[in-house]
Amino acid sequence: MRVERDELASAAAGFSGFFFLLASVSVLRPVRDQAGIARGVAALPGMFAATFLAVAAAALLVAWIAARVPRSRYIPLTYRIFAAGLLAIWIALRAGAPWAGAALFVWSGVCSLMAVSLYWGLLTDAFSRPQGARLFGLIAAGGTAGTLAGPLLVQWLARPLGPANLIPISAALLEVSVRYSGLLRRSAGCVPGVAMAPLTLRDTLAPLLRSKLLRTLCGYVLLLTGTATLLYVEQARIVAQSSSDDGERTLLFARIDLTVNATTLALQACVARPFLQLAGLHAALSVLPLLTAAGFLAFAQSPSLAVLALAQGLRRAAHFGIERPGREALLTALDRDQKYAPKAFIDSVVYRGGDALAAWLSQALPASALAPAALALCAVWLVNSLALARIGQHSKGGLR
């Protein structure tokens, strides 16, 4: 499917905005990952639990903002709140505050996740379902390119500047993404409108309870993030054992991200677009559980950082290039208000809830039980993904 001439400007803006957003997230990720293991891998479940609580509070804040500002100002205001929080933590790190590392792990976990969710909400607001089928893969490639640029910046700047001083760079990239999100709204002809109808917690949760599509999506996201966190904890253990130096750990996390994201970009360029065109929605949503199961099997046979990096690369390639565009295309028919607060709730609170549960599970299970538990989760996830595809294809936005 080719991009129409009148879609070029909006597609380019969407691509660029997603590039700078995920570059910002990817600069921040190695710094956050190092902060997460600074107190030992055993502290990760508590850190993930704190992140979950912070995300729940942030989701309420996002709903409150959505009820009081026009959609054209919604993303700029929210992103700038995220950036202000990052800069405040950076100042605390420079001052040697003992709580700053934990605050960085929690706050970056909130803002990176919700910022991406809100950007996808903007895309589903700006484009129709047919346009989404044509353009979301291309726009997702901009995000993948951003995830490649971020670790490269860390490689170049972490030693001369120090890991903590990468935080203002992440905040600056987030501001550039804000500018492109405004250009996207204008070029796509989004209706400026006034603020959305006032939202309460009931307004956020009610669509989840009465929508079969959104209920099934909750289960899908819970399994998506739970399996990802099991891989993440294993990666953190290996990195923690490799060095005790904060800077070296940050660089190692960045190198892992660079390897993973380069694999993602290569596979996305060669495989994702033909796959989306030929395989259909059921296959697009099923590929991630299958690849994740294969990754756990490979890691059980050869528990090494190289195997984890390959598994993560294949998974992220499928996520950014195949699964996420297909999943988001299902949601283009939702009412505009439902594309923000309820969807952001799923992509943030449900997502981080899966993180917290999986982190505690990884601590509770003996090492020999990790692979069987992960494979069982992947099997449930596969069944859920097929159900989600079926429901999405037979519903008008999923509200029944």
Side-chain angles (χ1 to χ4, degrees):
M1 300 179 186
R2 65 186 184 88
V3 179
E4 302 295 335
R5 185 181 297 273
D6 60 354
E7 295 170 339
L8 285 174
S10 53
F15 180 100
S16 301
F18 210 21
F19 171 86
F20 285 106
L21 172 59
L22 287 193
S24 169
V25 170
S26 298
V27 166
L28 192 60
R29 190 198 309 272
V31 186
R32 173 197 185 244
D33 290 343
Q34 153 54 29
I37 63 172
R39 299 181 181 180
V41 176
L44 279 175
M47 303 278 272
F48 276 117
T51 304
F52 166 70
L53 294 175
V55 164
L60 294 177
L61 175 63
V62 164
W64 184 86
I65 293 172
R68 287 161 176 81
V69 301
R71 282 188 292 271
S72 60
R73 293 171 51 201
Y74 182 54
I75 282 183
L77 178 59
T78 306
Y79 280 20
R80 284 163 182 160
I81 290 172
F82 293 155
L86 289 175
L87 293 174
I89 292 169
W90 171 64
I91 293 170
L93 283 169
R94 298 274 296 176
W99 50 266
L104 174 64
F105 185 91
V106 172
W107 185 249
S108 61
V110 172
C111 61
S112 61
L113 186 63
M114 295 196 72
V116 173
S117 174
L118 290 172
Y119 197 85
W120 276 111
L122 170 63
L123 294 174
T124 59
D125 195 5
F127 299 111
S128 65
R129 182 173 288 189
Q131 287 177 313
R134 289 197 304 274
L135 302 178
F136 281 2
L138 173 64
I139 292 171
T144 305
T147 65
L148 195 59
L152 285 172
L153 284 172
V154 175
Q155 292 288 311
W156 295 333
L157 300 176
R159 281 198 174 99
L161 296 183
N165 290 324
L166 297 171
I167 296 173
I169 295 173
S170 176
L173 291 169
L174 192 59
E175 176 61 26
V176 178
S177 180
V178 167
R179 303 305 176 96
Y180 276 105
S181 71
L183 181 59
L184 170 61
R185 291 193 62 86
R186 292 189 295 273
S187 60
C190 294
V191 178
V194 294
M196 300 179 205
L199 292 172
T200 64
L201 182 60
R202 178 179 178 182
D203 296 321
T204 300
L205 297 180
L208 304 181
L209 298 177
R210 68 174 186 266
S211 165
K212 192 173 182 180
L213 174 62
L214 293 179
R215 290 198 306 271
T216 308
L217 181 61
C218 283
Y220 184 96
V221 170
L222 196 66
L223 292 161
L224 166 75
T225 184
T227 53
T229 300
L230 290 178
L231 284 173
Y232 175 85
V233 172
E234 292 306 306
Q235 175 181 292
R237 283 197 180 105
I238 295 174
V239 172
Q241 292 166 3
S242 68
S243 174
S244 60
D245 181 74
D246 291 355
E248 289 304 315
R249 285 175 170 178
T250 301
L251 284 171
L252 182 53
F253 276 122
R255 291 186 191 113
I256 294 170
D257 280 348
L258 186 59
T259 302
V260 167
N261 296 335
T263 305
T264 299
L265 187 60
L267 291 175
Q268 196 169 324
C270 300
V271 177
R273 187 182 176 101
F275 190 98
L276 278 173
Q277 292 177 359
L278 298 175
L281 186 60
H282 283 79
L285 294 181
S286 300
V287 67
L288 207 53
L290 294 172
L291 282 176
T292 302
F296 277 112
L297 284 172
F299 184 72
Q301 294 296 316
S302 178
S304 67
L305 200 56
V307 171
L308 268 179
L310 178 61
Q312 296 276 38
L314 291 171
R315 180 185 166 105
R316 286 192 198 175
H319 173 60
F320 286 113
I322 298 172
E323 179 269 341
R324 190 71 189 257
R327 172 158 54 100
E328 294 294 337
L330 285 176
L331 306 180
T332 53
L334 289 170
D335 293 339
R336 280 184 166 177
D337 290 355
Q338 294 164 349
K339 292 172 183 174
Y340 289 94
K343 182 179 176 301
F345 181 88
I346 294 172
D347 287 342
S348 56
V349 177
V350 175
Y351 193 107
R352 288 307 182 200
D355 276 345
L357 290 172
W360 286 109
L361 180 65
S362 71
Q363 295 293 316
L365 288 176
S368 59
L370 176 65
L375 291 174
L377 289 175
C378 289
V380 176
W381 185 14
L382 179 61
V383 173
N384 172 276
S385 68
L386 294 172
L388 180 63
R390 184 177 64 254
I391 295 165
Q393 288 181 331
H394 293 90
S395 65
K396 299 292 186 181
L399 294 176
R400 293 174 179 266

